[in-house]
Amino acid sequence: MNRITRRFEDLRSAGRKALIPYITAGDPRPELTVPMLHTLVKAGADLIELGVPFSDPMADGPVIQKACERALRHGMSLHGVLELVREFRQTDSETPLVLMGYLNPIESFGYEAFVAGAREVGVDGVLTVDLPPEEAAELAELLIAAGIDPIFLLAPTSSAERIGQTAPLARGYLYYVSLKGVTGSAVINVAEVANKLVQIRALTHLPLGVGFGIKDPSTAAAIAQVADAVVVGSALVSKMAEWVDAPEQMRQEVGAMIAAMRLAMDTKS
Amino acid sequence: MAKAMRNPVDFSRFPDERGHFGRYGGRFVAETLMEALHELDEAWKTCRSDPEFLAELDLDLARYVGRPSPLYHAERWSRKLGGAQIYLKREDLNHTGAHKINNTVGQALLAKRMGKTRLIAETGAGQHGVASATVAARLGMECVVYMGAEDIQRQALNVYRMRLLGATVQPVTSGSRTLKDALNEALRDWVANVDNTFYMIGTVAGPHPYPLMVREFQAVIGREAREQMLSDYGHLPDALVACVGGGSNAIGLFHPFLNDAGVAIYGVEAAGLGIETGHHAATLCAGRPGVLHGNRTYLLNDANGQITETHSVSAGLDYPGVGPEHAWLKDIGRAHYVAVTDEQAIQGFHDLTLTEGIIPALESSHALAYATQLAPTLRRDQSIIVNLSGRGDKDIYTVATLEGIQL
C-alpha cells in the first residue's frame, strides 16, 4: 500500500477529510519550494500536489500560468522538481506527494526514465492534465508497476460512460474538476458538485477529491461535507504571489490560510 | 524524381477512429474538453456524409469564396528557371485573399448545424482571424479572435479588418505573446463557454477531430488541382510544393495526391535567420516529437520539454508545432520537408512579383523560393504545382520595412 492509499485510509478511520494544497515547484524561486512544502504540512495538509511548470499550461488560468513563468525564469525543470522531492523526503517520509503537470516535459524526459526517477525520489502519484485515459495506457502501466498512482481528472461534462472508462485506470484518488473553466475560475456550486459526486461514487470506490474554484475556508468546509478531499490551488498560489519578495511573510500567510481551511473542514465534519 | 515510390499504405484510411496518424495526432487535452470534442466529432461525422451539408458547402465555396481557384501556368517564370513547368494553385484569389476561408466557411456551417451562437478563433498573422470574422459576420454570430499582443503590433492592418467585420480582437499577453499563446487562450475560453461556443481552429493541428476536419475542408485545393492538371494538361504533376507552418494549405494540396505514388511532395518550412542560428520555425526539419495543443507531433522545444519561441519573417509560419499528419508523412517518407530562410523567401516574393505580376504572401513565398531550387533539377517536360496559398498585400509593409523603405 502506498502513501496515498494509506493516508486516505487513516483519514477515513479518523472521520476526517483530506486537505490537498497545490503549489508550483520553483515558484517564486526554487529554494523556497521545500520550506513551503514543510509549511503546508505543518499547517494541516494531508497530501500535496506539486506542479511541474510548463511553458503552455492550457488548462490553467492566469494565476498558475504566471507561477509557471516565474518558476521557469529561475530554470525549474522536471529534473529540478525531482530533486526538490528528494530534498523534501529527507525530512518528511510520510506526506504523500503528487506531481501535477503536462505531458510534454515527461515525453521529453522519457517515460521510463521519468518513472524510475520519480520512484527513486519518493513521488507517490502523477496527474498529467493533458493525458486523458484514451492516451494514458503506456504511462499509467509504467507508473502502476513502479507503485506510483496515476491520478485522473473528471469534469462536470464527463458522461457515465467516460467515468466508467476512467475509473479502472485510476489509482489513489480521482480529481473532480468542479466547474467548466480553467483553474482559478469563478465560484463553485456545492449542490451541483454534490449531485455529480453521487453519480461518480456509483461507479468507483476511489476517494474523490474536488478542486477548481475553492478559495476560502467556508467553501472548503462545504466541499468537505460531500467529497473525500479538497484541493486548493489558485487561491494559494495567488497568496504566494503577493509576497514574492518576502519569503518569511509568505510562509506565514500561506500557513495561516491552510490552517484556517483545515480548521473549517474539521469543525464541520 | 520520376522514380515511382511503392506506397506502403492507403492514405485515405488515416487517421484512425481516435485521430492517430501512426504515433502522431490523438487527443491530448484535459478531461474538461473531452465532451466538447466528442460532441464536435459526432456532429462532424454526421455532416461529412450528409449530401445536404456538402451541397450547401459547395455552393458557399462557389459563390462566396469564388471557387474553383485557377491553376495557372507560370510560363515566363518557368522559362526563366530553365527546368520543370511551374503551375500555381491560385488560393490568393479566394475571398479574403488566402486559403484560410475554405476552412472557416466549412466550420461555420458546422457551427450553425450544432446550434452554436458564438465563434472563437486564434490567429497569428491575422489571416485565419479575418477569415473567421468574415464568416461570423455573414452568419450574424458573435466572434472573438485571440491574438498575441506581439502579433497585434505586427499586423495592425488585419486587426483593423477583423474589427471592421465586427469581431472582438482579444490581445493575449501570456507566455511569448504569439500564436501558440493565442491557441492556449482560445482553448481556455472554449472550456469555460462550451455550451454556446464553437472553436474554429485555423490549421491541421489540435486535438482530434481538428486535423482531420480541417484537412477535409482544405482538401478542395488538391482535388481541384488534380482535376485541373489532368483535364487541362493530361497528366499528373511530378512534384507538389507548399509552405508549412501548421500545415493546412499544404495538407489541402497534398492529401488528394498521397496515393499517386509518382508525385513527389515537398513541404517548405521557415528557416528564419537560418536553422543554425536557432531563430527559425522549422519544426519538422529541426524539432522532435512531443505533445502540445492536443496532439502528438514534432515540436520546437528545449531539452526540458518547454516550448521554445520561433522566428520567421512570415507571421503565418511562426508556430512551434505542426499538424500531426505532416509529422507522420515525414517519418514514413511520403513527403519531404525542407526549409528556406527569410532572405530566400523575400527573393521568391520579388521573383514572382516581377516575373508574373502576382504579389504572393510571405508564407507562400517560402514555397516559391523552394520551387526556384527544385525546378532547374527537373526536365522541361516535367511539372510542379506550387500552392500560392495567399496574396501579399498584407505583407507590403513588412517587405518595405526590411528594405529600409518608409511608406
Side-chain angles (χ1 to χ4, degrees), chain B residues 43-251:
Chain B
W44 160 242
K45 274 196 275 204
T46 309
C47 286
R48 70 184 293 203
S49 54
D50 173 3
E52 210 175 292
F53 178 86
L54 296 174
E56 199 178 345
L57 176 61
D58 282 347
L59 207 62
D60 276 356
L61 289 175
R63 295 185 185 169
Y64 190 67
V65 177
R67 303 204 70 91
S69 67
L71 184 70
Y72 166 73
H73 184 189
E75 284 185 77
R76 187 156 176 261
W77 194 41
S78 305
R79 235 183 353 261
K80 214 173 145 192
L81 293 171
Q85 302 307 305
I86 297 178
Y87 299 85
L88 302 176
K89 182 59 175 162
R90 296 291 309 274
E91 293 301 300
D92 61 316
L93 295 177
N94 293 339
H95 178 41
T96 70
H99 71 290
K100 293 292 187 190
I101 191 90
N102 301 328
N103 173 42
T104 57
V105 160
Q107 289 199 40
L109 270 185
L110 187 58
K112 199 174 75 175
R113 287 279 177 113
M114 293 172 74
K116 305 290 181 183
T117 56
R118 180 173 176 268
L119 298 178
I120 60 171
E122 83 295 336
T123 198
Q127 291 303 101
H128 173 60
V130 167
S132 301
T134 298
V135 296
R138 179 170 177 246
L139 294 176
M141 288 189 192
E142 184 191 349
C143 182
V144 178
V145 179
Y146 289 91
M147 187 168 185
E150 286 289 318
D151 290 332
I152 287 180
Q153 297 275 322
R154 293 194 282 190
Q155 303 287 337
L157 184 69
N158 273 341
V159 173
Y160 187 55
R161 284 171 84 192
M162 287 183 265
R163 288 187 175 141
L164 283 175
L165 289 160
T168 304
V169 180
Q170 191 66 48
V172 176
T173 55
S174 56
S176 61
R177 309 164 158 234
T178 58
L179 175 57
K180 76 173 177 72
D181 309 285
L183 223 150
N184 293 333
E185 217 50 51
L187 284 166
R188 291 172 182 138
D189 178 316
W190 197 30
V191 168
N193 300 294
V194 71
D195 295 335
N196 71 343
T197 297
F198 188 100
Y199 179 20
M200 301 214 277
I201 292 187
T203 192
V204 284
H208 179 66
Y210 282 102
L212 165 65
M213 180 172 71
V214 177
R215 177 190 87 193
E216 295 295 290
F217 287 137
Q218 291 294 1
V220 66
I221 301 172
R223 282 198 304 273
E224 283 178 10
R226 197 172 180 282
E227 278 167 30
Q228 288 164 324
M229 198 73 201
L230 286 171
S231 66
D232 297 354
Y233 305 99
H235 56 81
L236 287 172
D238 294 280
L240 307 174
V241 179
C243 65
V244 177
S248 70
N249 90 83
I251 217 74

Side-chain angles (χ1 to χ4, degrees), chain B residues 1 71-75 77-78 81-89 225 229 233 235-242 253-254 257 262-266 268 367-388:
Chain B
M1 179 56 46
L71 184 70
Y72 166 73
H73 184 189
E75 284 185 77
W77 194 41
S78 305
L81 293 171
Q85 302 307 305
I86 297 178
Y87 299 85
L88 302 176
K89 182 59 175 162
M229 198 73 201
Y233 305 99
H235 56 81
L236 287 172
D238 294 280
L240 307 174
V241 179
L253 176 64
F254 297 168
F257 291 93
V263 179
I265 296 177
Y266 298 93
V268 187
L368 297 166
Y370 185 69
T372 64
Q373 298 173 24
L374 181 63
T377 69
L378 301 180
R379 298 187 313 269
R380 281 177 200 200
D381 63 344
Q382 291 186 296
S383 54
I384 301 171
I385 296 178
V386 179
N387 201 7
L388 193 57

Side-chain angles (χ1 to χ4, degrees), chain A residues 154-163 176-181 196 199, chain B residues 30-39 190-191 194-195:
Chain A
L154 292 173
T157 47
S158 302
S159 60
E161 190 191 344
R162 282 199 63 76
I163 298 166
Y176 178 65
V177 174
S178 58
L179 43 80
K180 290 179 190 171
K196 190 72 183 185
Q199 187 195 353
Chain B
E31 179 63 24
T32 43
L33 268 183
M34 290 303 288
E35 203 53 40
L37 290 169
H38 182 71
E39 182 195 1
W190 197 30
V191 168
V194 71
D195 295 335

